[in-house]
């Protein structure tokens, strides 16, 4: 009766993989051969093992469940149960089995690794859902198993800081404030940097206040980050060259390359390697490509703090009086801070975005505005995608195309002006004679001026509309060119003419309104005189509508 079982166990012991299907068939025969209870348990275990090795995990689990139901729960059986659940990614079951039989399983084979995977998956899932307290608990349990170190976030070493971040995620600002203060106190007692806790406190203020003034404290934190004394260290696992702070001597840190723990020992300190230039990080054959940022955790912290420091200065401008100009020194300081961010990470587009927007909407001159457009284009190239900025750049491209076609647009405007019968003939003749000295104008061909007087003279509204349209078109054509030309006399002349045209248009509107008022007064007074001569009685004032200038009435003539 035991012969099929013994034959199958022989195949398993010799690990003859191609014969495992044969072993499965022998074990099936053994189960119906009338074995004793102990032999049945051994047969079920062997059958579950063979099916597991064949990759049929669900079938193996079904056989093993029968064995477990019979009360057979030795160390090997529970390990196979754990292994099968892990293979089927039933992480809840893996955790339950380990919690119930941790003492029995111990560190058998890769028990810790299997359980560690389950803890890591649950920690990452909870973290993605912003359930940071639960994620932190699983990361701590994973640390206790002493496996998968490379997947544990390095910042978990600062427990107080992490608890503060958890509270911020959950919008518990007061609790977060206490944790960050505790982190600062603990760091001082240990003689370590207080920067993480200080940044946490500043985050609390940043979220609580509408326009927080953190410019000075962020500047002090950034200075502390930049002045940290650093030493060189080579990772014994992956041989990566690391730059660490001297205050971590004697402590355990996580390698940024292989994510494994290593001791920072004085005898292992090496000279710091030279920092790679941005050009060295660009892909070969593509000089215009964005640098590939490979920043350490320390560089990332310094970069992000520097960007925050720049934005903190920008936020202080909200306290300026309404419609007041930006302080020139403040704008220069903002640009210097943003340049500092780009120096740490040339591949980050945010500094270019901020410089571009400030330079575009608050330019000192046309050259600064053109430089701002280049910064916005660089931000888009570095994968900063903001719909409003994309729309702005599209309009700038159309405007640039229009400026390239400025002469063609101007010649078309001149042709329309010379053919406009609403313009007096002698003005059109003077313009034609003035421009015929240029060959490009003569290329238009002969333009006949329609002569004679016309009954339909242009109205005042037509004249003002024509003047307004001419001003806008001339400004579009010549303004960018005036900002670049060295002909100061021509610039001054065109500016004066544009100003005079605008003033004359306003005077014409004022005179026209005054003329209408005189007409109204004249015809009204004449009517009143004639009606009284005819014996007409005047209407009581209260029965009349509102007078000119009163609420609800027409405006008083100028």
């Amino acid at each position: 009766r035991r012969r099929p079982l013994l034959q199958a166990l022989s195949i398993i012991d010799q690990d003859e993989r191609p014969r495992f299907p044969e072993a499965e068939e022998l074990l099936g025969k053994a189960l119906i051969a009338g074995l004793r209870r102990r032999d049945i348990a051994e047969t079920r275990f062997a059958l579950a093992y063979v099916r597991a090795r064949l990759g049929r995990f669900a079938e193996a689990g079904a056989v093993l469940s029968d064995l477990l139901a019979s009360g057979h729960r030795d160390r090997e059986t529970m390990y196979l149960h754990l292994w099968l659940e892990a293979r089927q990614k039933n992480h809840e079951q893996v955790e339950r089995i380990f919690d119930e039989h941790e003492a029995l399983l111990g560190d058998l084979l890769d028990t810790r690794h299997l359980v560690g995977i389950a803890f890591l998956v649950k920690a990452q899932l909870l973290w993605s859902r912003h359930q940071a307290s639960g994620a932190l608990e699983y990361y701590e349990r994973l640390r206790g198993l002493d496996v998968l170190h490379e997947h544990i976030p390095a910042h978990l070493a600062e427990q107080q800081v992490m608890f503060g971040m958890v509270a911020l995620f959950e919008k518990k600002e007061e609790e977060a404030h206490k944790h960050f203060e505790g982190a600062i106190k603990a760091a001082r007692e240990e003689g370590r940097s207080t920067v993480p806790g200080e940044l946490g406190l500043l985050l609390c203020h940043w979220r609580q206040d509408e326009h927080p003034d953190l410019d000075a404290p962020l500047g002090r934190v950034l200075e502390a980050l930049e002045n940290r004394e650093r030493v060189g260290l080579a990772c014994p696992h992956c041989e990566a060259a690391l730059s660490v702070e001297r205050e971590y001597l004697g402590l355990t840190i996580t390698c940024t390359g292989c994510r494994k723990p290593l001791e920072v020992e004085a005898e292992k300190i090496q000279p710091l390697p030279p920092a790679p230039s941005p050009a060295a990080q660009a892909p070969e054959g593509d000089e215009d490509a964005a640098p590939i940022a490979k920043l350490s955790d320390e560089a990332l912290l310094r970069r992000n703090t520097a960007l925050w420091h720049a934005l903190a200065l920008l936020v202080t401008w909200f306290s300026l009086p309404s419609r007041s100009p930006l302080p020139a020194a403040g704008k220069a300081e903002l640009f210097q801070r943003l340049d500092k961010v780009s120096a740490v990470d040339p591949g980050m587009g945010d500094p270019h975005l901020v410089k571009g927007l400030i330079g575009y909407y608050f330019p000192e001159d046309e050259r600064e505005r053109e430089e701002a457009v280049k910064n916005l284009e660089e931000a888009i190239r570095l994968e900063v995608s903001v719909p409003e900025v994309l729309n702005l750049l599209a309009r700038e491209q159309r405007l640039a195309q229009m400026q390239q076609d400025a002469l063609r647009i101007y010649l078309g405007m001149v042709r329309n002006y010379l053919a406009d019968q609403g313009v007096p003939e002698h003005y059109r003749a003077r313009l034609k004679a003035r421009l015929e000295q240029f060959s490009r104008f003569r290329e238009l061909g002969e333009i006949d001026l329609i002569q004679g007087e016309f009954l339909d003279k242009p109205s005042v509204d037509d004249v003002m509309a024509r003047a307004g349209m001419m001003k806008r078109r001339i400004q579009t054509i010549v303004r960018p060119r005036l900002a670049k030309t060295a002909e100061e006399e021509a610039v001054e002349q065109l500016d004066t003419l544009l100003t005079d045209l605008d003033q004359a248009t306003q005077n014409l509107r004022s005179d026209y309104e005054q003329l209408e008022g005189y007409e109204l007064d004249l015809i009204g007074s004449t009517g009143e005189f004639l009606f009284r001569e005819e014996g007409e009685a005047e209407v009581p004032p209260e029965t009349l509508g509102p007078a000119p200038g009163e609420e609800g009435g027409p405006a008083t003539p100028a």
Side-chain angles (χ1 to χ4, degrees):
R1 292 178 181 178
R2 298 184 71 245
R3 184 178 294 117
L5 171 60
L6 296 176
Q7 292 174 348
L9 292 178
S10 175
I11 295 173
I12 295 172
D13 289 340
Q14 296 174 20
D15 200 21
E16 300 180 40
R17 302 284 183 88
R19 297 185 62 192
F20 270 25
E22 178 185 347
E24 180 184 15
E25 183 179 353
L26 291 170
L27 292 169
K29 292 179 179 179
L31 282 176
I32 61 174
L35 297 175
R36 292 176 297 176
R37 178 177 297 180
R38 187 180 63 183
D39 292 332
I40 290 176
E42 187 175 7
T43 303
R44 283 175 173 165
F45 179 85
L47 182 58
Y49 174 80
V50 168
R51 288 180 175 176
R53 295 294 297 275
L54 290 173
R56 289 150 50 191
F57 306 126
E59 296 180 26
V63 175
L64 198 64
S65 63
D66 293 337
L67 181 59
L68 294 171
S70 66
H72 194 85
R73 297 174 181 266
D74 61 5
R75 194 181 187 202
E76 290 75 16
T77 301
M78 297 314 302
Y79 173 80
L80 181 57
H81 186 27
L82 181 79
W83 189 89
L84 286 171
E85 296 295 344
R87 284 290 183 173
Q88 297 177 82
K89 299 182 179 180
N90 295 329
H91 304 299
E92 295 283 351
Q93 291 288 6
V94 171
E95 181 184 3
R96 182 187 61 79
I97 295 170
F98 182 73
D99 288 344
E100 294 178 359
H101 305 282
E102 180 179 1
L104 178 64
L105 289 169
D107 57 354
L108 177 64
L109 298 178
D110 56 351
T111 295
R112 292 178 180 273
H113 188 79
L114 296 174
V115 177
I117 291 174
F119 288 170
L120 178 62
V121 170
K122 297 195 72 173
Q124 291 175 341
L125 179 62
L126 290 171
W127 190 263
S128 67
R129 295 174 177 173
H130 287 183
Q131 299 176 8
S133 56
L136 183 60
E137 179 183 349
Y138 277 106
Y139 277 128
E140 283 302 310
R141 296 188 68 182
L142 180 59
R143 190 191 299 277
L145 293 174
D146 196 25
V147 295
L148 301 174
H149 299 283
E150 64 274 17
H151 296 287
I152 300 177
H155 54 246
L156 287 181
E158 299 286 350
Q159 294 295 325
Q160 290 277 36
V161 174
M162 273 309 302
F163 282 123
M165 294 304 300
V166 168
L168 274 183
F169 271 130
E170 297 174 352
K171 298 182 179 180
K172 300 176 181 177
E173 281 79 9
E174 292 185 6
E175 182 179 340
H177 198 278
K178 293 178 182 178
H179 285 303
F180 291 133
E181 286 184 335
I184 294 174
K185 180 180 179 181
R188 285 174 179 163
E189 292 174 352
E190 298 172 5
R192 300 176 62 185
S193 172
T194 60
V195 165
E198 291 176 2
L199 285 174
L201 286 179
L202 294 178
L203 273 175
C204 291
H205 293 303
W206 185 265
R207 291 187 51 166
Q208 288 175 335
D209 301 335
E210 183 177 1
H211 296 142
D213 186 2
L214 304 182
D215 185 59
L218 271 173
R220 290 192 292 269
V221 171
L222 183 60
E223 184 179 1
L225 285 173
E226 293 173 340
N227 294 336
R228 284 181 175 181
E229 184 181 2
R230 312 190 69 78
V231 296
L233 191 69
C235 176
H237 307 293
C238 65
E239 299 184 353
L242 306 176
S243 170
V244 299
E245 299 168 25
R246 181 173 289 277
E247 66 179 34
Y248 284 95
L249 283 173
L251 301 176
T252 300
I253 66 170
T254 302
C255 174
T256 57
C258 63
R259 310 302 297 179
K260 293 183 179 180
L262 68 149
E263 296 289 334
V264 183
E265 302 175 5
E267 57 270 16
K268 294 182 180 180
I269 290 179
Q270 302 175 350
L272 283 173
S277 63
Q281 296 179 335
E284 295 183 4
D286 189 2
E287 297 180 355
D288 296 330
I292 301 174
K294 295 181 179 179
L295 302 179
S296 64
D297 291 345
E298 293 82 4
L300 283 172
L301 180 61
R302 194 165 67 254
R303 180 200 71 180
N304 294 343
T305 305
L307 179 61
W308 191 7
H309 188 218
L311 296 180
L313 175 61
L314 191 150
V315 169
T316 62
W317 295 346
F318 284 104
S319 61
L320 295 175
S322 178
R323 299 185 180 277
S324 63
L326 286 183
K331 188 165 67 171
E333 172 67 17
L334 174 66
F335 286 2
Q336 290 178 4
R337 295 184 186 186
L338 294 170
D339 289 340
K340 186 181 295 186
V341 179
S342 297
V344 179
D345 184 6
M348 189 181 196
D350 298 64
H352 297 283
L353 175 66
V354 178
K355 287 179 67 176
L357 290 174
I358 296 298
Y360 186 88
Y361 288 106
F362 304 95
E364 294 293 333
D365 49 36
E366 188 65 25
R367 287 187 178 87
E368 183 177 339
R369 190 170 178 276
E370 292 177 355
E371 185 65 26
V373 173
K374 293 179 182 178
N375 272 304
L376 293 175
E377 291 173 344
E378 180 67 9
I380 298 302
R381 188 181 72 82
L382 294 175
E383 300 182 354
V384 175
S385 182
V386 181
E388 293 82 358
V389 175
L390 294 174
N391 181 53
L392 185 150
L393 288 179
R395 290 191 285 111
E396 283 296 317
Q397 291 172 358
R398 291 196 297 270
L399 181 60
Q401 184 63 40
M402 181 182 297
Q403 292 171 2
Q404 292 176 0
D405 298 339
L407 186 57
R408 179 183 59 81
I409 297 172
Y410 171 73
L411 291 175
M413 185 178 66
V414 169
R415 181 189 292 274
N416 293 335
Y417 182 86
L418 296 177
D420 189 351
Q421 299 178 28
V423 179
E425 177 188 342
H426 61 279
Y427 281 131
R428 290 183 284 151
R430 285 172 57 185
L431 177 63
K432 183 179 179 183
R434 187 173 178 178
L435 297 179
E436 280 183 339
Q437 59 179 312
F438 300 102
S439 59
R440 288 295 300 273
F441 176 76
R442 293 195 299 270
E443 290 174 3
L444 289 174
E446 185 64 25
I447 300 178
D448 295 329
L449 301 180
I450 301 176
Q451 302 178 358
E453 297 293 332
F454 295 88
L455 296 177
D456 295 331
K457 294 290 185 179
S459 66
V460 175
D461 289 335
D462 292 337
V463 173
M464 289 191 297
R466 185 178 68 204
M469 182 178 296
M470 181 178 296
K471 177 190 174 185
R472 289 191 297 272
R473 288 183 176 178
I474 293 296
Q475 283 180 324
T476 302
I477 293 172
V478 303
R479 278 295 187 195
R481 295 170 180 255
L482 292 179
K484 300 177 182 178
T485 185
E487 300 182 21
E488 296 183 0
E489 184 177 351
V491 173
E492 184 178 353
Q493 180 184 10
L494 286 172
D495 278 338
T496 301
L497 289 173
L498 286 169
T499 302
D500 290 346
L501 177 65
D502 189 47
Q503 185 62 46
T505 304
Q506 293 179 11
N507 291 340
L508 177 60
R509 178 177 291 106
S510 176
D511 292 342
Y512 181 53
E513 292 174 351
Q514 191 173 14
L515 176 62
E516 289 179 324
Y518 290 151
E519 290 177 343
L520 173 63
D521 286 343
L522 178 59
I523 194 170
S525 298
T526 302
E528 291 171 353
F529 169 72
L530 293 175
F531 289 140
R532 282 197 299 268
E533 285 290 313
E534 293 293 327
E536 290 282 343
E538 295 186 14
V539 180
E542 60 270 13
T543 64
L544 299 174
E550 295 182 357
E551 184 178 356
T556 303

